[in-house]
Amino acid sequence: MVERAIQSVLDQTYSNVEIVVINDGGVDIETNLKDKCNYIKLAKNMVRSHAINIGIKLAKGELIA
């Protein structure tokens, strides 16, 4: 599921994007997609809002979706 979401972003015609993926205790994503995004795997499962806040802090873009 995550792989499809990342690939969907990469397939868009607008290419000025930054992808931040925070893995909060889930299954790892494919290795080839990790190279195309900022992939962070947390050491332990946190509250969802904590993982989201980490992603927001890491993002360098003007807009977050």
Side-chain angles (χ1 to χ4, degrees), residues 18-22 34 36-40 58-60:
E18 171 192 23
I19 302 171
V20 178
V21 176
I22 307 296
K34 284 182 186 177
K36 299 177 183 186
C37 63
N38 187 354
Y39 179 81
I40 305 297
L58 290 173
K60 295 173 179 71

Side-chain angles (χ1 to χ4, degrees), residues 27-55:
V27 177
D28 262 346
I29 63 172
E30 294 178 17
T31 306
N32 64 339
L33 291 178
K34 284 182 186 177
D35 298 338
K36 299 177 183 186
C37 63
N38 187 354
Y39 179 81
I40 305 297
K41 184 168 184 170
L42 300 179
K44 62 180 182 174
N45 191 338
M46 302 281 206
V47 178
R48 181 184 292 187
S49 59
H50 180 71
I52 292 169
N53 287 334
I54 290 172

Side-chain angles (χ1 to χ4, degrees), residues 1-9 21 27-30 33:
M1 187 83 151
V2 173
E3 291 89 350
R4 282 183 63 192
I6 294 170
Q7 193 60 56
S8 175
V9 172
V21 176
V27 177
D28 262 346
I29 63 172
E30 294 178 17
L33 291 178

